[in-house]
């Protein structure tokens, strides 16, 4: 079975490793930069922009690709899934019109409003920075300020966390030539719920919590994600069964709405929720696996990813197709020392011993067997254990054994940080 994976980050390395657990998979890759982990297991790698749809399509046809899995959001926005599907190549990844659930935040909020989908925060769309600035100044509370388009997880400024009112105005004034969305600031605990979707049916994955902030203690600028964790029961103590059921219902209603709009959704739907004192609210939807969250869930996937992909494409997915090991996971990203503001490329990295972990390469170069940093997140270790403490211990030990001009957040997955999350939610709801 010839499978093409588009993308060359840590998420895509996880996808590739999960697919190649099936000996019948012959893996092909298209990626903008060579990921040494993917290149090692792929039959052939095409080092080229994944958003160049005609070139990717030509590569797929030349190699008689049967299925494709699209990792990042940019090629979905470019219409890669549409082009592949049109050529008879089954695709795990939504067509462009359905991917707008991520690529156009205004579309997402409009869809939720049109169909009365729960969990939509109050928002306002502004066509100019001046309009946004005026609204920010007049609004009595705090707001989240973001462009409606793709920002790689780094385009949001939240009043009361990262900026004050004037800082929010200043940021809005930089967002020229695009629609700006202003949303009420949500207070609570974030959680990620990802699901496999075949157009109608949704099968959830374990809950994951990501850590966007660059530095320990959840401070500093937002990043693509510094790490994440999941628990052995695949839930969180600060997400009640009622909260979980409501989040599932919101995602199902969104899939149903897209189908009614004539854009059936096939692929991975990522729900980023803020669990508030009144229940889960949608921060955003993503039209693909999260990075790093994909590494948590795919590291413990016990069912065959190829079968899941086939059933997504054929519209025959069911819960019995999907199973995960009852293990906790902790993912910690190794990044260049001055990431994200001024990351330095070309520094040599040495990897030491690691126990009960999986190493995923991301934005990293390998020259004559020597690993070197590039300008984004470098690589990630996922520790796997019977408890959060055990998984964190393995991830931390592996990260400590990496030397070079790099750093990581040692607090991710620790009992101290986890206890803070539980206490925060308890305080909000008391």
């Amino acid at each position: 079975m010839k499978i093409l994976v588009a993308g060359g980050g840590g998420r895509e390395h996880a996808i590739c490793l999960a697919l190649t657990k099936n000996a019948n998979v012959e893996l092909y890759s298209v990626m903008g930069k060579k990921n040494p982990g993917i290149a090692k297991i792929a039959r052939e790698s095409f080092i080229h922009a994944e958003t160049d749809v005609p070139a990717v399509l030509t590569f797929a046809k030349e190699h008689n690709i049967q299925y494709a899995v699209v990792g990042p959001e940019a090629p979905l926005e470019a219409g890669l899934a549409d082009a592949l599907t049109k050529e008879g190549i089954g695709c795990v990844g939504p067509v462009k019109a359905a991917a707008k659930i991520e690529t156009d935040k205004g579309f997402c909020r409009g869809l939720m409003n049109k169909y009365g989908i729960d969990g939509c925060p109050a928002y306002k769309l502004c066509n100019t920075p001046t309009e946004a600035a005026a609204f920010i100044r007049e609004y009595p509370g705090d707001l989240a300020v973001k462009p409606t388009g793709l920002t790689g997880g780094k385009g949001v400024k939240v009043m009361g966390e990262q900026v004050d009112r004037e800082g929010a105005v200043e940021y809005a004034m930089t967002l020229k030539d695009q629609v700006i969305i202003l949303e009420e600031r949500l207070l609570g605990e974030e959680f990620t719920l990802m699901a496999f979707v075949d157009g109608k049916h949704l099968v959830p994955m374990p809950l994951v919590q990501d850590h966007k902030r660059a530095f320990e203690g959840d401070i500093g600028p937002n990043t693509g994600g510094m790490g994440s964790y999941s628990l052995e029961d695949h839930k969180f103590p600060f997400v009640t069964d009622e909260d979980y059921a409501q989040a599932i219902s919101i995602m199902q209603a969104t899939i149903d709405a897209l189908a009614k709009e004539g854009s059936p959704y096939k692929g991975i739907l990522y729900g980023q929720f803020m669990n508030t004192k009144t229940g889960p609210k949608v921060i955003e939807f993503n039209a693909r696996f999260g990075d790093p969250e994909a590494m948590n869930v795919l590291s413990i996937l016990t069912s065959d990813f190829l079968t899941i992909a086939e059933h997504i494409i054929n519209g025959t997915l069911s819960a019995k197709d999907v199973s995960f090991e009852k293990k906790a996971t902790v993912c910690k990203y190794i990044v260049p020392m001055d990431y994200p503001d001024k990351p330095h490329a070309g520094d040599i990295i040495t990897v030491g011993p690691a126990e009960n972990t999986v190493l995923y390469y991301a934005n990293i170069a390998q020259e004559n067997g020597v690993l070197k940093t590039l300008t984004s997140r470098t690589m990630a270790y996922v520790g796997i254990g019977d408890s959060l403490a055990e998984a964190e211990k393995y991830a931390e030990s592996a990260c400590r054994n990496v030397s070079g001009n790099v750093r990581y957040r040692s607090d991710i997955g620790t009992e101290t940080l986890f206890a803070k999350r539980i206490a925060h939610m308890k305080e909000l709801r008391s």
Side-chain angles (χ1 to χ4, degrees):
M1 184 67 71
K2 295 185 174 186
I3 312 288
L4 174 66
V5 174
R11 163 184 50 218
E12 288 77 32
H13 191 192
I15 290 169
C16 291
L17 281 177
L19 283 168
T20 52
K21 286 178 183 176
N22 185 320
N24 294 320
V25 167
E26 189 173 277
L27 183 71
Y28 292 79
S29 163
V30 56
M31 46 187 165
K33 293 177 183 174
K34 184 178 179 180
N35 180 314
I38 295 173
K40 185 178 179 181
I41 57 176
R43 174 71 178 268
E44 188 169 333
S45 296
F46 178 35
I47 309 303
H48 193 84
E50 309 100 332
T51 51
D52 185 347
V53 173
V56 176
L57 193 59
T58 298
F59 177 77
K61 290 165 71 176
E62 282 176 353
H63 293 89
N64 298 313
I65 298 297
Q66 292 153 286
Y67 295 148
V69 181
V70 182
E73 60 275 25
L76 294 171
E77 186 178 39
L80 181 57
D82 306 61
L84 290 167
T85 304
K86 190 176 179 181
E87 289 295 328
I89 298 169
C91 191
V92 177
V95 295
K96 184 175 182 176
K100 282 177 71 179
I101 201 73
E102 172 175 9
T103 63
D104 184 341
K105 295 178 181 69
F107 169 82
C108 174
R109 295 312 190 199
L111 185 81
M112 294 183 76
N113 264 345
K114 180 178 178 180
Y115 289 93
I117 299 171
D118 287 340
C120 186
Y123 71 95
K124 180 175 175 60
L125 295 175
C126 300
N127 292 311
T128 66
T130 305
E131 182 187 358
F135 186 86
I136 292 166
R137 286 198 172 103
E138 293 169 7
Y139 188 78
D142 289 336
L143 293 162
V145 184
K146 32 184 148 171
T148 54
L150 296 175
T151 62
K154 303 170 192 175
V156 181
K157 299 290 184 186
V158 181
M159 291 169 61
E161 288 182 24
Q162 297 151 295
V163 291
D164 58 13
R165 194 168 303 278
E166 279 309 306
V169 168
E170 286 176 24
Y171 177 59
M173 293 303 292
T174 68
L175 302 175
K176 303 181 190 305
D177 303 318
Q178 58 191 309
V179 177
I180 301 163
I181 186 165
L182 307 175
E183 297 179 351
E184 64 171 315
R185 180 191 177 193
L186 300 172
L187 296 176
E189 280 299 323
E190 290 189 35
F191 68 91
T192 300
L193 173 59
M194 296 182 291
F196 298 108
V197 183
D198 71 353
K200 293 182 180 178
H201 312 103
L202 173 158
V203 180
M205 304 182 215
L207 294 184
V208 187
Q209 189 177 60
D210 184 20
H211 298 70
K212 286 285 188 188
R213 296 298 193 90
F215 304 112
E216 293 186 15
D218 290 324
I219 61 172
N222 275 347
T223 69
M226 290 295 294
S228 45
Y229 69 93
S230 67
L231 300 185
E232 64 275 13
D233 65 354
H234 304 161
K235 300 283 187 72
F236 289 137
F238 50 83
V239 179
T240 67
D241 289 344
E242 186 180 351
D243 297 331
Y244 180 76
Q246 190 176 351
I248 293 278
S249 175
I250 288 168
M251 290 178 69
Q252 184 66 59
T254 303
I255 294 162
D256 295 343
L258 286 167
K260 289 172 186 172
E261 291 288 304
S263 304
Y265 190 102
K266 291 191 175 188
I268 313 302
L269 183 62
Y270 169 120
Q272 186 72 42
F273 291 94
M274 180 70 81
N275 208 23
T276 71
K277 63 182 179 181
T278 57
K281 300 279 189 181
V282 177
I283 298 173
E284 65 179 359
F285 286 118
N286 291 332
R288 35 71 189 181
F289 277 114
D291 184 344
E293 297 97 330
M295 293 181 270
N296 295 88
V297 297
L298 292 177
S299 295
I300 55 170
L301 180 68
T302 52
S303 46
D304 178 31
F305 194 14
L306 174 59
T307 299
I308 294 171
E310 287 179 320
H311 289 190
I312 286 171
I313 291 160
N314 297 331
T316 56
L317 185 69
S318 71
K320 69 179 185 337
D321 298 321
V322 181
S323 59
F324 295 90
E325 202 173 0
K326 292 288 187 180
K327 295 282 189 180
T329 67
V330 172
C331 174
K332 300 194 183 196
Y333 247 121
I334 306 283
V335 301
M337 188 61 74
D338 294 320
Y339 173 84
D341 294 330
K342 295 179 181 178
H344 187 262
D347 293 320
I348 293 174
I349 309 161
T350 304
V351 176
E355 181 187 5
N356 293 321
T357 60
V358 184
L359 171 60
Y360 295 109
Y361 289 122
N363 198 239
I364 190 169
Q366 188 172 38
E367 300 169 9
N368 300 318
V370 176
L371 297 171
K372 294 183 178 180
T373 59
L374 295 174
T375 57
S376 190
R377 295 174 296 170
T378 306
M379 60 190 191
Y381 279 103
V382 176
I384 303 168
D386 291 327
S387 65
L388 181 66
E390 189 176 63
E392 192 277 331
K393 179 185 74 175
Y394 292 133
E396 178 67 14
S397 176
C399 289
R400 261 198 219 122
N401 289 331
V402 175
S403 58
N405 191 31
V406 291
R407 66 175 183 87
Y408 66 97
R409 274 189 60 174
S410 65
D411 62 343
I412 292 172
T414 60
E415 293 287 356
T416 302
L417 198 59
F418 184 52
K420 280 176 66 178
R421 303 286 193 245
I422 297 168
H424 182 221
M425 199 71 236
K426 189 175 180 181
E427 181 186 354
L428 278 174
R429 288 187 161 173
S430 60

